[in-house]
Amino acid sequence: MKKVLAILVAGFACLSMAGCGSLAGRHNIDSGFSYIDSHEYQNALESFDAALENGEDQCLIHRGKGIALLRSGEYGQAADELLLSLSCDEGIVDDMDFDTNYYLAEAYLGLSEYNKAKEVYDAILALRSKDSNAYYLRGIAELASGNHDGGYSDFTKAIALNARDYSMIIMIYKALDEYGYSDEATGILQTAMSGGSDFMTNFEKGQISFYLGNNAEAQSYLEAARNERDQEKEPVVIMLGQTGEKQGDYNYAISVYRNYLSENPDSALVYNQLGMCQIRQGDYQSAVSSFESGIALDNKEMNQALMLNQITAYEYMGEFQVAAGMMEDYLATYPEDKDAIRENIFLSTR
């Protein structure tokens, strides 16, 4: 812990990226972070390499490379770059230092180096003792390392610090459930529902009811939320559709998604969910059309999933040559997807 805390305290003194410049400027750095935003990680790495050659700010270069490598699944290299970013300068600890440490801990989790991840969260909590997110994430690391009691203790602290953060409570539920502690997971949701129903929105009640298995109740709350003027509709529609999917009622789910898209045709996420339902119904041609409509929106966060799901739909149709051609285009854009590389080998033999 002392080593990580020393790195954290010695972090570079930049309150924002705008404050971390160099005489050489940061044109390539800005390009690199733009590529990260659009999930083009190889292009991002090339931009950061160009920034290094151009003498731009090394702290930001190593931070950017670390994030791009992390998102590419290269956890070891990511950790090395993020440590370089934290140690490249001295100054007061600021928000970006904490943010970089969160990425570092995520890299350690990806490497299954849970003790190192916990050391990073320990260091963060030593300076920010009321950081509920750090307690939650340290709880994840504890669970992953087999320390149930430590994980549950951290989850309890996280909830105590922010009892109305129902999104975090749901994430804690999912973590406990994933590691086999279903009764405890359900208990946390039931406590949240009984203790906070006066404060919850209909959407939050709908979410918790969904995960508690109260499907009819979830639909009632979600339908109410869908009709509320100030409620963001897309996440409500996704979960409302999932209440149908959960019961195998894909006709209901498809109806929910199509009704939403008739008024909001710019939702790549809903097009993707619609396509997946159509695949489960065996309506592969309609699924292809849904994925195509989503891809046409050029949503950088959804393009990868949409392209891959469209390839899957063509495979189910038996259109292996079409799928193979699309896979080549996909891998040209997302070369870091190792699962897709293996799938491409399969397609090449068909």
Side-chain angles (χ1 to χ4, degrees), residues 134-197:
Y135 278 115
Y136 158 68
L137 290 169
R138 192 174 69 178
I140 296 292
E142 295 282 11
L143 275 189
S145 67
N147 184 1
H148 161 267
D149 292 347
Y152 193 84
S153 174
D154 277 342
F155 291 154
T156 301
K157 291 172 185 175
I159 294 171
L161 286 167
N162 201 348
R164 296 186 189 178
D165 185 349
Y166 300 111
S167 294
M168 183 182 67
I169 289 171
I170 288 170
M171 290 191 295
I172 288 172
Y173 157 81
K174 289 180 177 179
L176 287 167
D177 187 59
E178 179 184 349
Y179 281 95
Y181 304 106
S182 300
D183 290 343
E184 287 182 349
T186 299
I188 282 175
L189 288 188
Q190 289 172 333
T191 299
M193 191 66 147
S194 61
S197 59

Side-chain angles (χ1 to χ4, degrees), residues 301-328:
E301 293 185 1
M302 289 301 303
N303 278 347
Q304 183 172 5
L306 285 160
M307 291 175 68
L308 198 56
N309 290 335
Q310 187 179 38
I311 292 167
T312 300
Y314 274 115
E315 286 187 59
Y316 281 129
M317 291 170 67
E319 298 283 354
F320 296 110
Q321 288 187 336
V322 175
M326 294 181 69
M327 181 63 81
E328 288 184 15

Side-chain angles (χ1 to χ4, degrees), residues 27 37 75 96 107 120 146 156 245 263 317:
H27 169 74
D37 289 341
Y75 301 118
M96 188 172 284
V120 177
T156 301
E245 293 180 47
E263 297 181 1
M317 291 170 67

Side-chain angles (χ1 to χ4, degrees), residues 13 22 35 46 50-51 66 77 89 99 101 104 112 115 147 153 160 164 174 194 208 236 240 256-257 270 338 346:
S22 72
Y35 280 127
E46 290 172 4
Q77 294 178 59
D89 198 2
D99 190 54
N101 272 269
L104 176 61
S112 300
N115 286 331
N147 184 1
S153 174
R164 296 186 189 178
K174 289 180 177 179
S194 61
I208 290 182
V236 175
L240 187 58
V256 169
Y257 299 141
V270 176
K338 296 179 176 60
F346 163 76

Side-chain angles (χ1 to χ4, degrees), residues 19-278:
C20 295
S22 72
L23 294 177
R26 28 178 277 187
H27 169 74
N28 292 297
I29 287 175
D30 290 342
S31 294
F33 280 104
S34 293
Y35 280 127
I36 288 175
D37 289 341
S38 61
H39 303 258
E40 298 175 70
Y41 304 121
Q42 188 58 45
N43 288 339
L45 291 169
E46 290 172 4
S47 290
F48 291 125
D49 285 340
L52 195 61
E53 292 178 8
N54 195 43
E56 297 178 32
D57 188 279
Q58 290 198 23
C59 296
L60 288 176
I61 291 169
H62 291 304
R63 171 182 161 83
K65 290 184 74 172
I67 295 170
L69 288 162
L70 178 64
R71 294 294 169 252
S72 299
E74 302 293 343
Y75 301 118
Q77 294 178 59
D80 292 341
E81 293 291 341
L82 293 165
L83 285 167
L84 284 171
S85 178
L86 287 166
S87 62
C88 72
D89 198 2
E90 293 186 0
I92 60 173
V93 178
D94 59 27
D95 288 344
M96 188 172 284
D97 297 311
F98 285 101
D99 190 54
T100 302
N101 272 269
Y102 273 116
Y103 284 120
L104 176 61
E106 186 180 345
Y108 286 143
L109 288 175
L111 291 166
S112 300
E113 295 187 9
Y114 305 121
N115 286 331
K116 287 186 177 181
K118 285 186 281 187
E119 284 184 343
V120 177
Y121 296 129
D122 288 344
I124 291 170
L125 288 165
L127 297 177
R128 289 184 171 177
S129 61
K130 296 185 177 181
D131 190 329
S132 61
N133 195 43
Y135 278 115
Y136 158 68
L137 290 169
R138 192 174 69 178
I140 296 292
E142 295 282 11
L143 275 189
S145 67
N147 184 1
H148 161 267
D149 292 347
Y152 193 84
S153 174
D154 277 342
F155 291 154
T156 301
K157 291 172 185 175
I159 294 171
L161 286 167
N162 201 348
R164 296 186 189 178
D165 185 349
Y166 300 111
S167 294
M168 183 182 67
I169 289 171
I170 288 170
M171 290 191 295
I172 288 172
Y173 157 81
K174 289 180 177 179
L176 287 167
D177 187 59
E178 179 184 349
Y179 281 95
Y181 304 106
S182 300
D183 290 343
E184 287 182 349
T186 299
I188 282 175
L189 288 188
Q190 289 172 333
T191 299
M193 191 66 147
S194 61
S197 59
D198 292 341
F199 310 107
M200 289 181 184
T201 65
N202 281 315
F203 178 47
E204 289 166 341
K205 291 177 183 177
Q207 285 180 292
I208 290 182
S209 296
F210 175 84
Y211 289 113
L212 283 173
N214 302 327
N215 223 50
E217 193 173 273
Q219 286 183 348
S220 178
Y221 285 127
L222 293 168
E223 288 284 6
R226 185 166 60 164
N227 294 319
E228 291 172 352
R229 179 184 302 175
D230 297 330
Q231 171 66 51
E232 184 184 356
K233 300 301 189 293
E234 186 182 75
V236 175
V237 165
I238 291 292
M239 178 144 284
L240 187 58
Q242 287 176 337
T243 64
E245 293 180 47
K246 190 176 182 180
Q247 300 175 97
D249 189 352
Y250 297 112
N251 287 328
Y252 172 80
I254 287 171
S255 175
V256 169
Y257 299 141
R258 280 180 169 161
N259 285 340
Y260 178 78
L261 289 167
S262 68
E263 297 181 1
N264 305 272
D266 58 348
S267 175
L269 179 60
V270 176
Y271 272 119
N272 187 62
Q273 202 71 20
L274 172 61
M276 294 304 295
C277 280
Q278 290 163 332

